[in-house]
């Protein structure tokens, strides 16, 4: 009896079903202003040497984004635990000890552990080959190889899942990610500052232009008219770091699939 990856892939597909729902709930660039906030007004200060730009009212994000994100993370994490359980099942030919059954879990080590894999609680009863294969995937390993992206995303999965499962719900936010830069002739001493990486709020000041010498109003108005605004993405936060919601969940589920496929030959 070799076990099966059916339940692990079922969990992964469940994660992807929540991801598909999230993709439908996240506003798109084409039909809403969420992804591309046009400036609604520019205010002049300091006799034309300063201009501040403000966005308008932002519609609230769908509150269900939070719950679907948590479910996506939960099921992606479960897929890895199901993998390890089935590895135990195959190793013991379907009749493994109660202790191993209870302890079975896929470890995700963000920091280098003090113990070797044969002492890791969730996998210590597995074969040496399987333990080493799992150890090779740990985020703490600083190796620049083809699995580098897998390790990184497993680390992101662990960090975000622990928050949702044990601490608090993730809050989906609109985070400023890009803006189109503007140029003025050097004689005006132009400087541009914008709210990179900050959560956007209604009527927020998102950009400031400052000049050592005030340029002609006609020149400024032409630049204001051409300015397209601040780009944003729906993100969730862990500590001081923001993770764009859809791209990171896509990457996490894809990397979990890579992990499952790496062990598929064990169940042939």
């Amino acid at each position: 009896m070799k076990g099966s990856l059916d339940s692990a892939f079922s969990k992964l597909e469940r994660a992807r079903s929540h991801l598909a729902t999230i993709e439908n709930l996240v506003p798109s660039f084409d039909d809403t202003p969420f992804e591309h906030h046009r400036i609604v007004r520019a205010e002049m200060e300091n006799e034309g040497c300063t201009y501040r730009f403000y966005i308008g009212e932002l519609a609230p994000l769908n509150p269900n984004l939070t719950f679907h994100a948590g479910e996506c993370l939960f099921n992606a994490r479960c897929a890895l635990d199901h993998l390890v359980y089935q590895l135990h099942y195959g190793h013991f030919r379907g009749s493994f000890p109660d202790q191993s059954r209870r302890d079975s879990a896929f470890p995700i080590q963000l920091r280098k552990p003090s113990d070797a894999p044969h002492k890791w609680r969730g996998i210590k009863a597995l074969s040496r080959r399987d333990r080493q294969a799992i150890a090779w995937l740990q985020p703490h390993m600083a190796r620049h190889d083809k699995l580098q992206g897998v390790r990184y995303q497993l680390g992101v999965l662990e960090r975000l899942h622990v928050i949702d499962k044990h601490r608090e719900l993730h809050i989906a936010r609109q985070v400023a990610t890009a803006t189109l830069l503007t140029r003025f002739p050097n004689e005006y001493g132009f400087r541009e500052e914008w709210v990179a990486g900050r959560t956007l709020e209604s009527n927020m000041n998102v950009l400031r232009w400052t000049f050592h010498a005030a340029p002609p109003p006609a020149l400024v108005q032409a630049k204001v008219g051409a300015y397209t605004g601040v780009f944003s993405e729906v993100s969730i936060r862990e500590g001081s770091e923001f993770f764009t919601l859809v791209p990171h969940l896509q990457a996490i589920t894809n990397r979990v699939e890579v992990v499952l496929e790496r062990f598929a030959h064990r169940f042939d």
Side-chain angles (χ1 to χ4, degrees), residues 6 15 21 25 27-28 45 59 72 105 122 139-140 152 170 172-173 185 256 259 263-264:
D6 289 349
T21 300
L25 292 177
S28 66
E45 302 175 359
C72 180
H140 68 79
Y152 172 75
H170 289 294
R173 316 159 190 257
V256 168
V259 173
F263 289 89

Side-chain angles (χ1 to χ4, degrees), residues 145-177:
D145 57 19
K146 65 181 181 180
L147 294 175
Q148 184 178 3
V150 173
R151 297 186 190 100
Y152 172 75
Q153 292 300 340
L154 289 184
V156 174
L157 169 59
E158 183 71 1
R159 291 164 64 188
L160 297 182
H161 171 61
V162 166
I163 290 172
D164 181 80
K165 183 179 179 181
H166 298 291
R167 302 178 192 170
E168 59 187 356
L169 295 175
H170 289 294
I171 299 175
R173 316 159 190 257
Q174 290 283 348
V175 176
T177 55

Side-chain angles (χ1 to χ4, degrees), residues 23 25 38 80 94 98 110 120 144 156 223 239 243 256:
E23 290 172 335
L25 292 177
R38 288 197 63 86
L80 298 173
D98 288 342
L110 302 180
W120 295 359
H144 300 286
V156 174
K223 297 288 189 179
F243 296 92
V256 168

Side-chain angles (χ1 to χ4, degrees), residues 20 35 58 87 100:
E35 297 293 336
L58 303 181
L87 287 172
S100 298

Side-chain angles (χ1 to χ4, degrees), residues 19-214:
L19 175 55
T21 300
I22 290 170
E23 290 172 335
N24 289 328
L25 292 177
V26 169
S28 66
F29 172 79
D30 293 328
D31 55 15
T32 80
F34 267 103
E35 297 293 336
H36 187 204
H37 298 290
R38 288 197 63 86
I39 299 302
V40 293
R41 72 182 188 277
E43 296 184 359
M44 183 184 74
E45 302 175 359
N46 194 24
E47 297 182 342
C49 287
T50 304
Y51 287 82
R52 295 182 186 273
F53 294 79
Y54 297 85
I55 58 175
E57 291 290 329
L58 303 181
L61 292 171
N62 190 309
N64 288 325
L65 281 172
T66 291
F67 301 105
H68 286 291
E71 291 295 329
C72 180
L73 293 165
F74 173 79
N75 282 285
R77 188 67 180 87
C78 283
L80 298 173
D81 288 335
H82 278 241
L83 163 65
V84 168
Y85 185 88
Q86 292 300 320
L87 287 172
H88 277 94
Y89 187 94
H91 180 68
F92 289 103
R93 300 186 180 276
S95 180
F96 51 103
D98 288 342
Q99 188 66 45
S100 298
R101 188 185 301 272
R102 289 192 296 268
D103 291 346
S104 173
F106 189 102
I108 300 182
Q109 307 277 6
L110 302 180
R111 296 185 177 88
K112 185 177 180 179
S114 57
D115 295 329
H118 71 277
K119 293 185 178 180
W120 295 359
R121 178 177 176 180
I123 63 171
K124 63 182 181 181
L126 291 179
S127 68
R128 183 177 181 275
R129 177 176 66 169
D130 287 339
R131 293 196 307 266
Q132 289 302 118
I134 291 170
W136 198 250
L137 297 170
Q138 297 305 304
H140 68 79
M141 294 192 65
R143 299 185 62 88
H144 300 286
D145 57 19
K146 65 181 181 180
L147 294 175
Q148 184 178 3
V150 173
R151 297 186 190 100
Y152 172 75
Q153 292 300 340
L154 289 184
V156 174
L157 169 59
E158 183 71 1
R159 291 164 64 188
L160 297 182
H161 171 61
V162 166
I163 290 172
D164 181 80
K165 183 179 179 181
H166 298 291
R167 302 178 192 170
E168 59 187 356
L169 295 175
H170 289 294
I171 299 175
R173 316 159 190 257
Q174 290 283 348
V175 176
T177 55
T179 191
L180 299 179
L181 298 178
T182 306
R183 291 186 178 183
F184 281 87
N186 292 336
E187 62 194 272
Y188 300 113
F190 173 65
R191 187 174 66 176
E192 185 173 44
E193 299 171 271
W194 68 287
V195 291
R198 288 179 54 189
T199 300
L200 296 178
E201 300 174 359
S202 295
N203 306 307
M204 183 177 179
N205 174 204
V206 295
L207 179 77
R208 182 174 69 178
W209 290 350
T210 56
F211 305 89
H212 292 315

